[in-house]
Amino acid sequence: MSQKQMKEAFVSNHNGTSVLEITEGLCLPALCILCRGLLIIVSQHLCCSSHTWRTRFFIDFAFLIVPLVTTLTIFASFVLLEYLIVIIFGAGLLYETYCRRTCYARMPVGKILEKFLKSSIESEYIPAISCFRVINSAFTAVAILAVDFPLFPRRFAKTELYGTGAMDFGVGGFIFGTAMVCPEVRRKYTKGSRLYLTKSLYSVWPLVFLGVGRLVIIKSIGYQEHLTEYGVHWNFFFTLIVVKLITSLLLIIFPLNKSWIVAISITVFYQLALDFTPLKRLILYGSDGSGTRVGLLNANREGISSTLGYVAIHMAGVQTGSYVLKKRSHIKDWIKVACCILLTAIGFFISLYIVQVNVEVASRRMANLAFCIWIVASCLILLSSLLLGDIILNFAKFLIKGATVPCSWKIIQSPAANRKYSESLVSEAETKEPTLCLITAMNRNQLIFFLLSNVTTGLVNLLVDTLHSSTLWALFVLNLYMFTNCLVIYVLHLQDKTVKFW
């Protein structure tokens, strides 16, 4: 076998892992981001001088990227131990913050919580959504290179036919995260405007360029491909194009608050088509039943057919975004939102179990009903974890005068009995948006980060024999690769550069 064939075989024919294991690994970054915020608050209180950009970058990298790398590699079988360590560390930081509080110092904890629940926050910006998108981007960036090394558990690789692998979450999570902040949700386009569809069409041309460019480069250099992922010519960018165009048309026809009905209708009818028509046989085995790749449809059958499932995921993301981005200011309202999303996620996981037992197991290749339910459930539980984490972080900020944490809500009002305490919650330091933040940097240039990760993944594969790399060497390469990508994006952010193609 050639090197290319060996690498293709290395990432193929896998059956995935349990939904529980993926969910455990997916929610760990939310706890790490909370610990990162608590550490920044404690360090601000203990140190008079503010952090330099280098210090803040290393803190963000250590709490956001390193745990992802270890969870997907050497600590893959010890995720619960990681949870225990992070929870103990976070609880210690929160206790330290409470003991060193400068606001409500002589007030019992019950009264403090009561006042906190009555406080208001600046809700124009939802940090949890930014964190969600960044976690998904960082997870994808780590996984696309780590999968080529032996230390990456094969059960996390993309599944071949049925099952759930950690890497199967990537595209669905990206589409869901994009949908939550799409122009329709943010009311960027006026419904019924002539420019609405034109703007949507114009916005996909960079994706056309990237999709065609990737196809040409991959075929030209003979780079390894997982054929059953999308097909011979199809790729991630083409899926985004089709999803964008179809959902733009759907959102012209249907109101935003009915997106969930559209999502359910698409997945149900698509599953019925898979069960009662030859569609499933066509997707899995081609028109001749023997896996032919002759003809454009046969060559790209996985990529073309799975777009229906991703359209449904996008519409579910639109519904979630329109709910989360509603105007709210009180902490207690956001607690209700977080709990509502968490309960919805639990409901989806129960539905997933019922569907997988009675209908069909999740399949990435088809993006069937079970797959769509799994993606939406996973996205919702991650989002609710981030919302709850940000609420806890704001409680810590509530206790310390002048505490600021990048990419988190800002408390803007607290009807405290003592005016001095109330005024102390918003300091001059909070009137300026902090810029030293890797999360903000990655969210700002998400597409550039994704492209950079793909390019550097290709370079590493061309320069390094990943199949025969030792564990230590693989860890070094992965961390260096992520450090380089993150540093480039961070420097762009410090230079106030947003790279856009439209």
Side-chain angles (χ1 to χ4, degrees):
M1 294 176 70
S2 65
Q3 185 78 356
K4 179 189 175 200
Q5 290 173 326
M6 285 193 294
K7 287 192 173 185
E8 287 175 346
F10 192 59
V11 299
S12 303
N13 300 312
H14 300 296
N15 299 317
T17 184
S18 68
V19 170
L20 178 61
E21 185 175 24
I22 298 170
T23 306
E24 288 171 353
L26 195 61
C27 293
L28 182 65
L31 273 176
C32 293
I33 288 173
L34 172 59
C35 289
R36 162 241 187 206
L38 293 172
L39 180 64
I40 290 172
I41 291 173
V42 172
S43 62
Q44 283 175 348
H45 184 63
L46 295 177
C47 307
C48 296
S49 58
S50 59
H51 291 147
T52 64
W53 72 267
R54 294 178 184 84
T55 304
R56 191 61 62 79
F57 175 78
F58 279 108
I59 290 174
D60 288 352
F61 187 84
F63 280 87
L64 178 64
I65 305 301
V66 174
L68 277 173
V69 173
T70 56
T71 301
L72 288 171
T73 54
I74 55 173
F75 289 158
S77 300
F78 305 98
V79 177
L80 293 180
L81 178 62
E82 286 187 284
Y83 267 98
L84 181 62
I85 294 170
V86 173
I87 289 171
I88 292 172
F89 182 67
L93 289 173
L94 186 60
Y95 179 74
E96 184 71 16
T97 304
Y98 177 77
C99 291
R100 295 177 178 272
R101 65 190 184 279
T102 56
C103 300
Y104 308 105
R106 297 182 179 180
M107 193 175 288
V109 64
K111 289 287 186 182
I112 296 175
L113 284 170
E114 185 181 331
K115 289 183 177 295
F116 174 67
L117 291 175
K118 291 178 181 178
S119 65
S120 299
I121 55 173
E122 185 183 275
S123 60
E124 293 295 327
Y125 165 70
I126 314 299
I129 293 180
S130 297
C131 292
F132 176 96
R133 286 158 53 83
V134 168
I135 287 171
N136 189 68
S137 294
F139 165 82
T140 303
V142 172
I144 58 175
L145 179 58
V147 71
D148 295 317
F149 288 94
L151 86 166
F152 185 84
R154 295 301 96 191
R155 66 183 185 277
F156 287 171
K158 290 186 176 179
T159 53
E160 194 67 26
L161 191 59
Y162 289 102
T164 50
M167 289 187 70
D168 292 331
F169 175 78
V171 177
F174 184 91
I175 287 174
F176 190 94
T178 302
M180 284 195 291
V181 292
C182 68
E184 293 87 353
V185 172
R186 291 182 285 121
R187 314 284 179 176
K188 192 173 180 180
Y189 302 148
T190 305
K191 192 175 171 84
S193 171
R194 292 181 179 181
L195 294 176
Y196 176 76
L197 193 56
T198 305
K199 292 260 187 186
S200 296
L201 290 170
Y202 180 67
S203 68
V204 302
W205 79 260
L207 298 175
V208 175
F209 174 78
L210 293 170
V212 173
R214 187 185 190 281
L215 173 63
V216 171
I217 292 171
I218 292 297
K219 299 299 180 184
S220 299
I221 65 175
Y223 193 77
Q224 68 265 18
E225 298 176 89
H226 190 181
L227 191 61
T228 59
E229 183 177 358
Y230 294 107
V232 178
H233 312 103
W234 202 269
N235 59 49
F236 168 71
F237 297 108
F238 294 146
T239 294
L240 289 185
I241 293 166
V242 176
V243 169
K244 174 64 177 175
L245 294 177
I246 293 176
T247 53
S248 294
L249 288 171
L250 289 173
L251 290 170
I252 290 175
I253 301 169
F254 301 98
L256 282 176
N257 62 356
K258 303 300 180 185
S259 298
W260 66 276
I261 298 176
V262 179
I264 292 173
S265 301
I266 291 171
T267 51
V268 170
F269 282 114
Y270 178 47
Q271 186 64 49
L272 290 172
L274 289 172
D275 290 339
F276 297 105
T277 71
L279 181 59
K280 184 187 297 185
R281 177 184 170 87
L282 173 66
I283 297 169
L284 298 180
Y285 306 111
S287 58
D288 65 351
S290 61
T292 180
R293 292 288 174 178
V294 177
L296 193 62
L297 178 60
N298 277 314
N300 304 287
R301 55 183 184 265
E302 294 91 352
I304 294 170
S305 61
S306 64
T307 52
L308 278 175
Y310 290 122
V311 166
I313 291 168
H314 187 281
M315 297 303 287
V318 168
Q319 183 69 54
T320 304
S322 61
Y323 172 66
V324 174
L325 291 175
K326 282 182 180 177
K327 184 73 175 177
R328 299 178 185 87
S329 58
H330 291 93
I331 284 286
K332 59 184 178 182
D333 292 332
W334 282 106
I335 293 174
K336 291 178 183 177
V337 170
C339 291
C340 180
I341 294 174
L342 179 59
L343 290 173
T344 306
I346 293 170
F348 270 106
F349 278 119
I350 294 171
S351 302
L352 174 62
Y353 175 78
I354 294 170
V355 169
Q356 292 207 113
V357 169
N358 298 288
V359 182
E360 188 176 37
V361 177
S363 171
R364 171 195 54 81
R365 284 176 71 175
M366 294 182 283
N368 59 359
L369 176 60
F371 177 82
C372 294
I373 293 174
W374 170 57
I375 292 294
V376 174
S378 300
C379 290
L380 290 178
I381 201 163
L382 174 57
L383 182 62
S384 63
S385 300
L386 290 166
L387 283 169
L388 290 170
D390 213 17
I391 290 166
I392 294 170
L393 187 60
N394 269 273
F395 176 69
K397 290 165 63 179
F398 187 80
L399 301 174
I400 303 292
K401 179 180 179 179
T404 60
V405 178
C407 199
S408 69
W409 276 315
K410 290 190 283 186
I411 299 176
I412 57 174
Q413 177 189 351
S414 177
N418 190 324
R419 185 174 181 82
K420 180 179 68 174
Y421 290 142
S422 178
E423 291 175 348
S424 72
L425 295 173
V426 183
S427 65
E428 291 182 8
E430 273 199 310
T431 61
K432 297 181 181 179
E433 184 69 26
T435 57
L436 303 179
C437 179
L438 179 58
I439 296 173
T440 305
M442 290 174 65
N443 187 57
R444 181 177 185 173
N445 283 300
Q446 192 174 20
L447 182 58
I448 291 300
F449 178 78
F450 179 75
L451 293 175
L452 183 62
S453 300
N454 274 266
V455 171
T456 47
T457 294
L459 289 174
V460 171
N461 269 284
L462 292 173
L463 297 173
V464 176
D465 181 10
T466 56
L467 293 180
H468 301 98
S469 295
S470 66
T471 298
L472 207 58
W473 173 245
L475 279 175
F476 172 76
V477 171
L478 282 170
N479 281 288
L480 179 62
Y481 149 84
M482 287 302 296
F483 184 86
T484 304
N485 294 339
C486 291
L487 185 60
V488 170
I489 296 300
Y490 197 73
V491 170
L492 280 175
H493 176 62
L494 291 179
Q495 297 296 321
D496 201 25
K497 304 291 184 184
T498 303
V499 182
K500 293 181 74 81
F501 299 96
W502 61 90

